[in-house]
Amino acid sequence: AQSVTQLDSHVSVSEGTPVLLRCNYSSSYSPSLFWYVQHPNKGLQLLLKYTSAATLVKGINGFEAEFKKSETSFHLTKPSAHMSDAAEYFCVVSEGNSGGYQKVTFGTGTKLQVIP
Amino acid sequence: DGGITQSPKYLFRKEGQNVTLSCEQNLNHDAMYWYRQDPGQGLRLIYYSQIVNDFQKGDIAEGYSVSREKKESFPLTVTSAQKNPTAFYLCASSIESGTYSNQPQHFGDGTRLSIL
């Protein structure tokens, strides 16, 4: 069975400082991993995805994530936070199964606050 | 631009009433999904459909029903049997749902349902 754990429900950073949002996962197979961002009363927007190619994945808006199989982690980082980064972030694991269905599991989300 | 349109943005339900949430996509995606989002719980899958005229229950299907008569449309009905329907409902689609787990889901902007 697959699962996702986002280790912090809230993270607060000052504008211009680095961002680290932590995600650990478990999966029976070789999973695909995603990070999405959600602004208030909006849908989820894809930031980046890992699909067994390069372990360091670059996404939109300066975000990147590193897949570490030995640590079963997929942490999201950004060198310098911007006010517009304040939102909720979701780590997602996905794997196919024998039933032909893409099983997707969402983390419970991390709310990022950016202080001016 | 291609995307997913959910309507209405806000919806109110009276006791004993069924309400239907609309979801339309013009991305030519085969697979469509309905999620429920509650604070602190991430997204939970209600129903999904891999092809027209076929759909499957997700993790929390009780009190909900769907149809998939057209590729572009996947409406969700919240029935009176759903005793706690207040939530944010998100519709998503992906290119295909088979054993290919690396396809990201694209999301609409959601419908917020409240009880009168």
Side-chain angles (χ1 to χ4, degrees), chain A residues 2 17 53 97:
Chain A
Q2 65 184 26
T17 65
N97 62 24

Side-chain angles (χ1 to χ4, degrees), chain A residues 30-32 34 36 38 41-44 46 49 51 88 90 94-97 99-104 106-108, chain B residues 9 33 35 37 40 42-43 45 48 50 59 88 90 94 97-105 107-109 112:
Chain A
S30 297
S32 295
F34 307 84
Y36 288 84
Q38 183 182 33
N41 293 310
K42 291 290 188 180
L44 277 66
L46 180 68
K49 69 176 184 179
T51 57
E88 190 161 17
F90 291 91
S94 172
E95 60 185 31
N97 62 24
Y101 161 52
Q102 181 193 29
K103 174 67 176 175
V104 177
F106 290 80
T108 53
Chain B
K9 191 169 181 64
Y33 313 82
Y35 293 95
Q37 185 176 25
L43 276 67
L45 182 65
Y48 67 97
Q50 294 175 267
D59 301 319
F88 191 50
L90 287 162
S94 64
S97 171
T99 55
Y100 301 100
S101 66
N102 62 356
Q103 301 302 322
Q105 295 184 4
F107 287 83
D109 278 344
R112 188 165 297 281

